Amino acid sequence: MVVGYRQGVSQSVEPPAVPFASKVIAGLRQGAAFLVVGAIGFVVDAGTYNLLVFWGGGLSLSEGVLYHSPLVAKIIAIVVATVVTYFGNKWWTYSHRKSGSPVREYLLYAIVNVVAILLQLGCLGFSRYVLDLSSPLADNISATVIGQTMAVVFRYWAYSKFVFTGSSASDEQHARSAATPH
């Protein structure tokens, strides 16, 4: 609701309703952009992890530099992917939302990603230390497929709810036009 003032009288003006189809299309575009950015993050995450844990040099898979420290390798992989996805989400997925405070936004983005990292590490840790599975397939299924899927769903919800919460340009245009005296 926008409150406008005209000749000393306040008036309450509702912004024009956005058609349902427009909301659905906007939601699908945002969701698709989020998934593309996430797919890029997925490739960065999985690639970095596998290089650190299973690439010993050359063309064959063997024990990588962090083979015996898979959780450390996963943290490094997630941090690298998080930087990539932050800028992808900020500049594309949520580019229509203005940020009030970049510091607040980045801090909340980091907090959301710490929770998401814990989801992924929990899946990997369960597979490695409870189920005693340590093959490349087991690590990739537990951490990269299951863990990352859980993390993606959580991130999409949390980014929209807590991180990229600024008003969109169209919201501001509706508010300005409704508050302008005719």
Side-chain angles (χ1 to χ4, degrees):
M1 178 186 303
V2 176
V3 177
Y5 294 93
R6 191 172 63 175
Q7 299 174 358
V9 178
S10 69
Q11 60 185 358
S12 177
V13 179
E14 293 291 326
V18 178
F20 179 73
S22 295
K23 288 181 182 180
V24 170
I25 290 169
L28 290 173
R29 282 186 184 146
Q30 180 174 308
F34 182 80
L35 290 176
V36 169
V37 169
I40 294 166
F42 177 86
V43 169
V44 171
D45 180 346
T48 303
Y49 178 80
N50 282 291
L51 285 173
L52 292 172
V53 175
F54 298 112
W55 188 63
L59 297 176
S60 65
L61 294 178
S62 60
E63 290 187 10
V65 294
L66 292 176
Y67 180 80
H68 296 289
S69 301
L71 298 181
V72 173
K74 193 63 180 173
I75 290 169
I76 292 168
I78 292 169
V79 168
V80 172
T82 296
V83 170
V84 170
T85 59
Y86 173 77
F87 289 107
N89 282 314
K90 180 168 182 59
W91 293 337
W92 186 27
T93 308
Y94 299 100
S95 64
H96 62 285
R97 294 192 182 182
K98 294 187 175 199
S99 173
S101 168
V103 172
R104 175 199 160 279
E105 182 181 271
Y106 194 76
L107 180 63
L108 288 173
Y109 193 88
I111 291 169
V112 165
N113 279 286
V114 166
V115 174
I117 287 169
L118 293 175
L119 288 170
Q120 288 180 273
L121 291 177
C123 291
L124 177 61
F126 183 80
S127 174
R128 273 281 180 124
Y129 303 118
V130 175
L131 301 177
D132 198 30
L133 302 171
S134 60
S135 70
L137 180 62
D139 279 5
N140 281 289
I141 288 173
S142 64
T144 307
V145 176
I146 297 170
Q148 199 158 40
T149 299
M150 290 172 56
V152 162
V153 171
F154 170 73
R155 283 180 174 119
Y156 186 75
W157 170 79
Y159 293 164
S160 296
K161 182 95 172 148
F162 302 112
V163 180
F164 300 107
T165 59
S167 61
S168 69
S170 62
D171 291 344
E172 289 181 7
Q173 284 176 334
H174 291 307
R176 268 189 250 116
S177 65
T180 305
H182 300 287

